[in-house]
Amino acid sequence: MNIRVHQNTKQQLQFVLRPTGWIYVIAGLVFIGLGVLAMWFLAHQTSLSVNDETARYEKRFLSAWVIKEFAIPVREIADISLELHEGFSPTYRVTFSTAGEFFYADFPMADGDKKREIVDRCNEAVGQSNGGTYKYTESGLIPGLILGGVCIIGGLYGLLSLQTITVSMDRAKQRMTIDQRRWLLPVGTHREIDLAMIERIATKQVAVRTVKHHVSSYQVFVRCVDDEAVPIAAGPMFTENSAAETKKLLEGWLRNK
């Protein structure tokens, strides 16, 4: 947290706390973007059917909106093969060839072996003189929604945790006020504490375990004589240095009577 002191006299103290830099905004937007991409690439319901007349392919986003489809008369199919597509992420696509066109069927949930099986089964169905049939369906709706939802919720949580905190101390009124305002919400919290009720200023470390290591953040509390702990921020938003600086600032003003 970045600390900006607006007033520091014997009678009054006022300072404002804000997140340091735009890294939290960028991280939140990146997570939301990753969630949207995960849903776009995975949350599909895909079907392919081949019978004696038509090869039909359809891909639906969120099982509702058709985003890709084609239907080819079997008599026009010259070849069905597996083709490597060099795109954002290299992957194999099932390719239907006619005399002058290529039609590509994507199956994001199928691995290479499964796609080869799809090609073989389609060729068998097309090549049978008595009219063979084959049908394949897959759904990435649940994994797409779970992965995308986790990323989007994490990004929104990060953005919604951004806040501006104004702390004011007034000896004449014998009052401490803490105003918390979220950046993305029109509401905030206002808390008043009688100076006579303040026992001490405390900090607490909160460790979050990631895949490789622990990441620590800190919270600063106003500990009251009735054992109530009033947090300065809505959540552990402090670094070790900013927590220590905030504690030192408050303790120094309270001692300077």
Side-chain angles (χ1 to χ4, degrees):
M1 297 287 277
N2 182 38
I3 305 173
R4 179 172 296 180
V5 179
H6 290 273
Q7 189 174 15
N8 189 0
T9 66
K10 188 173 183 179
Q11 292 298 316
Q12 291 184 326
L13 170 67
Q14 185 183 73
F15 61 91
V16 177
L17 299 164
R18 290 187 178 89
T20 303
W22 290 91
I23 185 64
Y24 300 103
V25 176
I26 295 172
L29 293 176
V30 167
F31 269 93
I32 292 174
L34 289 174
V36 172
L37 286 175
M39 293 177 65
W40 178 252
F41 284 111
L42 295 178
H44 302 140
Q45 188 169 15
T46 308
S47 65
L48 172 66
S49 63
V50 179
N51 54 39
D52 57 346
E53 295 182 355
T54 307
R56 188 180 303 276
Y57 172 81
E58 182 181 84
K59 180 191 283 188
R60 290 179 175 268
F61 179 60
L62 298 177
S63 300
W65 297 278
V66 177
I67 59 175
K68 186 177 182 180
E69 64 177 340
F70 61 77
I72 314 170
V74 167
R75 65 179 181 275
E76 296 181 9
I77 297 175
D79 183 48
I80 304 173
S81 61
L82 207 58
E83 178 182 297
L84 180 63
H85 174 62
E86 297 284 355
F88 176 76
S89 177
T91 184
Y92 283 98
R93 300 186 300 187
V94 178
T95 304
F96 290 79
S97 306
T98 64
E101 279 189 277
F102 295 92
F103 300 86
Y104 302 104
D106 302 307
F107 300 99
M109 302 302 295
D111 59 17
D113 292 337
K114 186 63 182 179
K115 291 175 183 177
R116 290 185 181 89
E117 179 186 333
I118 293 172
V119 169
D120 293 340
R121 295 289 300 276
C122 287
N123 279 315
E124 289 177 8
V126 170
Q128 292 180 14
S129 58
N130 58 347
T133 61
Y134 174 66
K135 186 172 184 178
Y136 174 78
T137 60
E138 69 175 31
S139 177
L141 184 62
I142 293 177
L145 288 178
I146 291 175
L147 180 59
V150 168
C151 291
I152 291 172
I153 291 172
L156 288 174
Y157 180 81
L159 291 177
L160 290 174
S161 67
L162 296 173
Q163 57 194 284
T164 298
I165 304 156
T166 303
V167 180
S168 302
M169 314 281 279
D170 194 316
R171 291 196 198 279
K173 297 178 180 179
Q174 282 294 297
R175 185 180 304 155
M176 175 184 187
T177 60
I178 303 172
D179 290 293
Q180 300 169 351
R181 292 289 182 271
R182 304 276 188 171
W183 286 14
L184 299 184
L185 293 176
V187 296
T189 60
H190 176 82
R191 184 67 187 268
E192 296 187 359
I193 306 171
D194 192 331
L195 292 183
M197 294 292 293
I198 298 176
E199 181 182 29
R200 62 189 175 90
I201 308 299
T203 60
K204 182 180 179 180
Q205 179 182 5
V206 179
V208 178
R209 183 176 179 82
T210 63
V211 177
K212 294 184 178 180
H213 50 76
H214 287 82
V215 177
S216 295
S217 56
Y218 293 78
Q219 176 65 286
V220 180
F221 294 94
V222 178
R223 182 72 67 176
C224 299
V225 294
D226 60 359
D227 209 32
E228 181 183 10
V230 181
I232 295 294
M237 297 293 295
F238 292 87
T239 63
E240 183 179 7
N241 290 336
S242 63
E245 187 177 351
T246 302
K247 180 182 178 182
K248 180 180 179 182
L249 184 62
L250 289 170
E251 287 179 336
W253 188 86
L254 289 170
R255 284 196 303 265
N256 186 27
K257 297 181 180 179

